[in-house]
Amino acid sequence: MAELRPGRIVGWNRLSESLAIFRLVGLDSATFPPFEAGQNIALRRDDCLLTKKLKEGSKVRYVPDLDSDGNQKRGSVTHSYSIASAPFEAEHENYLEFYLVLERSSDGAQGRFTESLFRIESDGNDRLAYMERIVGDFTLARRAAGFEHVLMVGTGTGLAPFVSMVKQLHFEERRDGAPRTRYTLLCANRSFEELAYHQELLDIEASNVFDFVYVPSVSRPTARDRADMRVGVGRANNVLRHIFGLPPLESNAVIPELPGERPLAMLQKRIDASRTVVLTCGNPAGMADIEWIAEQAGMRFEKEDW
């Protein structure tokens, strides 16, 4: 059985009110187990505000778990996250990086685990334990073997496993030479500020080390975003719909637009459905629509399941 190891948070970077990137290092320079890009690890915090399940008819919601004095109990909570850093970064620099959202329920209550993490800005508690085992089969070797084109579609923090994959591919191809496989990454977030890893992904594409095209977009565009030739408009699933000539999923959705530097004809030619596998991670509703699009287009579909 995997052991729980102590670690601490370093390099906390708040992108917006609800998004952050941080790195985890082991105490006493402990090393992490080897892993493949796309895998995940279980993290644990010991000062989380606890909740309990409340069933109301056919619906279930979570409410604060209070002690006898009416104060919300605190305790340990474990949650698994995709690793955003590449395996070579863990091997050479001994850290794991994560990209996460401050989760909220439908009634606005903050998620137990992420509330504790984001509290680092006020209480300075940087302790974060991790299981000494990295798992998961959402990897290129297991989900994309044999395909000439890999289309990655990330919604929100679902970008994390794809960042790991792209960075590892870039590292390996600089060392070993470019593969014949083509890779295209579509990703979206609400605002330009929330496009995590944006410049790094642009730089990897510009390096021409391997056949990689990056297609970012924002769902709440500003005038600045619409003027940016490197940023598109719309949710990731609707941008994919646009590429295949389908209308947006929602009747009131912002009309999707591709980045000016990513012409529609180029992307349509690049995505040969019979030779393409679609990998997606992120919002469940978005992934369900991406699966539908893949079925209409005749593409193999794979998603990250939790």
Side-chain angles (χ1 to χ4, degrees):
M1 185 173 179
E3 293 186 25
L4 189 67
R5 297 289 188 183
R8 66 186 182 90
I9 298 168
V10 298
W12 177 269
N13 178 20
R14 185 78 168 261
L15 301 180
S16 68
E17 180 183 353
S18 59
L19 289 172
I21 294 173
F22 71 89
R23 291 178 177 178
L24 168 67
V25 297
L27 295 185
D28 301 322
S29 300
T31 58
F32 295 100
F35 67 98
E36 295 180 62
Q39 292 190 297
N40 64 82
I41 189 171
L43 308 177
R44 192 177 87 171
R45 288 275 280 184
D46 293 328
D47 67 338
C48 300
L49 294 172
L50 301 182
T51 58
K52 61 182 180 181
K53 186 185 295 186
L54 183 64
K55 190 171 183 179
E56 299 174 332
S58 61
K59 296 183 179 180
V60 173
R61 66 187 183 97
Y62 291 86
V63 298
D65 189 4
L66 307 179
D67 62 21
S68 57
D69 295 322
N71 299 313
Q72 191 167 0
K73 297 178 183 177
R74 291 179 182 269
S76 299
V77 173
T78 301
H79 200 300
S80 292
Y81 285 95
S82 295
I83 300 168
S85 49
F88 81 88
E89 293 174 308
E91 181 182 354
H92 294 172
E93 301 182 51
N94 201 24
Y95 68 81
L96 299 179
E97 189 164 274
F98 301 91
Y99 173 37
L100 77 162
V101 62
L102 176 58
E103 296 172 347
R104 294 182 185 274
S105 65
S106 57
D107 60 4
Q110 296 180 348
R112 301 177 303 168
F113 188 85
T114 54
E115 184 278 333
S116 174
L117 282 177
F118 275 72
R119 209 186 317 132
I120 189 176
E121 297 177 357
S122 59
D123 65 16
N125 180 4
D126 63 0
R127 291 297 183 257
L128 180 63
Y130 62 95
M131 298 301 295
E132 196 179 30
R133 183 178 62 157
I134 299 176
V135 299
D137 67 354
F138 193 66
T139 65
L140 291 173
R142 297 193 182 187
R143 301 295 188 96
F147 285 89
E148 294 180 12
H149 178 230
V150 180
L151 175 59
M152 309 169 180
V153 187
T155 64
T157 55
L159 173 66
F162 301 130
V163 171
S164 180
M165 292 174 185
V166 170
K167 291 201 290 186
Q168 187 67 20
L169 285 166
H170 185 242
F171 170 76
E172 292 176 356
E173 304 326 322
R174 282 187 302 171
R175 182 188 62 191
D176 304 327
R180 298 177 61 183
T181 307
R182 306 188 308 279
Y183 298 90
T184 305
L185 171 60
L186 270 64
C187 65
N189 224 312
R190 294 174 301 181
S191 68
F192 178 79
E193 291 72 24
E194 293 181 337
L195 287 177
Y197 304 98
H198 179 61
Q199 189 58 53
E200 187 171 4
L201 291 167
L202 286 172
D203 291 343
I204 289 174
E205 180 186 36
S207 72
N208 292 316
V209 169
F210 66 107
D211 192 344
F212 172 62
V213 170
Y214 169 52
V215 187
S217 65
V218 294
S219 60
R220 300 178 184 177
T222 63
R224 176 248 171 264
D225 303 330
R226 291 186 180 278
D228 191 333
M229 295 289 287
R230 293 180 169 184
V231 176
V233 171
R235 294 177 176 172
N237 61 305
N238 283 333
V239 171
L240 187 59
R241 279 172 166 263
H242 175 60
I243 292 172
F244 284 99
L246 299 168
L249 176 62
E250 310 88 357
S251 60
N252 61 345
V254 60
I255 302 301
E257 300 175 17
L258 292 169
E261 296 183 358
R262 307 290 183 271
L264 177 60
M266 180 271 283
L267 290 172
Q268 289 176 331
K269 181 179 180 180
R270 183 176 181 82
I271 304 174
D272 182 341
S274 64
R275 294 177 170 83
T276 294
V277 58
V278 181
L279 274 58
T280 187
C281 181
N283 177 273
M287 290 196 296
D289 189 46
I290 292 163
E291 181 176 15
W292 181 85
I293 298 166
E295 290 175 354
Q296 305 310 302
M299 296 183 291
R300 171 78 171 271
F301 174 81
E302 298 283 345
K303 69 174 181 176
E304 171 65 299
D305 287 308
W306 292 96

